[in-house]
Amino acid sequence: MQFIRPFCDERQSTWCLHCTTSLSEVRTNKDHVPSKCFLKKPYPENLPTVEICAECNNGFSADENYFACVIHAVLAGSLSPDPQHHPEAAKILRHNQGIARRLNTQSEQVDLFPHELPFTVYPDYKRIERVLVKNAKGHAFYEYGEPMLESPSTVEVFPIHQLSADNRARFESSEDVGDLSAWPEVGSRMMDRVMTGRDMLGEWIVVEDGIYRYAVDQAGGLRVRMVIRDYLGAQIQWFH
């Protein structure tokens, strides 16, 4: 990815995006957005990062590892994938056998993958949501300079191939993309992308082709869309 220097209001960078703690009063870390658990090695250069408090950053690690197990199990179609055919998934699940066992147990958890028979998993939706919202807040701040300190209004997660044609089209494209009222703030990274097309494919910012892409827009509030491994889609929105 190309490095883009922002020229936003630096006063917006004084709080942790997740707990609102003043960053001047605590130890901080650079948090990757997208989380590296979404990506494939070797990682692209100049991955986006945002500064958050170290406590929040460390607190996301277990959920990110859990998320990696879920997505790799689903894509491999097994909790014990063949290392020759799915080396990345096999390695991750072999090192996290406790998580793999729990994913094989149906409980009160939400089934995100109801039509992936004969194989399915039963993930803890709250853990999946925490990772997605963490990344959505990071994308919003990195691209727009907007700290979304409140919880989002809606969080939607779905396998993109299960969407109807109309819903897929609505997810992939924003009807308001040409509306000047929804354009990014001058000085933001997103404005730079709009003007130059850096790392862009249409409305989407491509981090790794076929692995991870995201889009951020402000029509009707603020919306972050993500596609992970060309399989799992997410849409997180904050309404005005």
Side-chain angles (χ1 to χ4, degrees):
M1 300 186 72
Q2 297 185 49
F3 175 75
I4 303 174
R5 186 180 301 279
F7 297 94
C8 296
D9 188 345
E10 293 184 356
R11 292 172 295 180
Q12 300 281 45
S13 305
T14 57
W15 311 281
C16 175
L17 300 175
H18 307 292
C19 67
T20 71
T21 297
S22 172
L23 294 178
S24 64
E25 299 175 359
V26 295
R27 187 166 61 89
T28 65
N29 290 142
K30 294 291 187 181
D31 182 39
H32 287 93
V33 285
S35 301
K36 286 185 174 179
C37 69
F38 293 165
L39 305 178
K40 188 173 184 178
K41 294 180 180 179
Y43 301 128
E45 295 182 352
N46 300 316
L47 282 176
T49 62
V50 294
E51 188 174 13
I52 64 174
C53 77
E55 184 174 354
C56 283
N57 193 28
N58 294 334
F60 288 120
S61 296
D63 288 337
E64 289 172 327
N65 185 57
Y66 181 88
F67 193 109
C69 291
V70 172
I71 196 70
H72 281 290
V74 172
L75 292 175
S78 173
L79 290 165
S80 302
D82 184 340
Q84 290 188 332
H85 293 97
H86 302 283
E88 189 178 6
K91 181 179 179 180
I92 288 173
L93 291 164
R94 185 172 63 248
H95 291 166
N96 293 277
Q97 294 183 14
I99 293 176
R101 284 193 294 271
R102 290 195 296 275
L103 291 175
N104 199 33
T105 304
Q106 189 168 8
S107 65
E108 298 301 317
Q109 299 168 144
V110 175
D111 182 3
L112 293 178
F113 314 102
H115 305 299
E116 300 302 311
L117 299 176
F119 173 78
T120 191
V121 294
Y122 303 95
D124 183 338
Y125 180 76
K126 290 182 179 179
R127 300 187 75 174
I128 300 297
E129 182 178 288
R130 278 196 294 269
V131 175
L132 293 172
V133 171
K134 169 255 190 187
N135 278 275
K137 287 186 172 187
H139 290 325
F141 185 70
Y142 186 82
E143 300 298 340
Y144 275 82
E146 289 282 349
M148 309 307 293
L149 303 179
E150 303 294 330
S151 297
S153 305
T154 62
V155 179
E156 301 171 80
V157 190
F158 39 81
I160 58 174
H161 69 273
Q162 292 181 7
L163 295 175
S164 68
D166 287 345
N167 286 339
R168 178 69 182 268
R170 280 192 287 270
F171 174 69
E172 293 285 355
S173 180
S174 171
E175 295 178 356
D176 302 302
V177 71
D179 185 351
L180 290 178
S181 67
W183 272 44
E185 181 180 347
V186 173
S188 68
R189 289 185 176 94
M190 197 67 223
M191 176 57 85
D192 181 283
R193 294 192 196 280
V194 169
M195 301 304 294
T196 67
R198 296 181 205 245
D199 300 315
M200 299 286 287
L201 181 63
E203 300 173 33
W204 293 83
I205 299 163
V206 179
V207 180
E208 282 187 296
D209 188 28
I211 302 297
Y212 189 81
R213 58 188 169 101
Y214 67 95
V216 188
D217 63 71
Q218 286 185 312
L222 192 139
R223 175 176 66 156
V224 180
R225 291 167 285 161
M226 315 171 199
V227 176
I228 303 161
R229 304 271 171 157
D230 275 344
Y231 172 77
L232 191 66
Q235 180 167 267
I236 294 93
Q237 293 182 280
W238 287 263
F239 298 129
H240 286 316

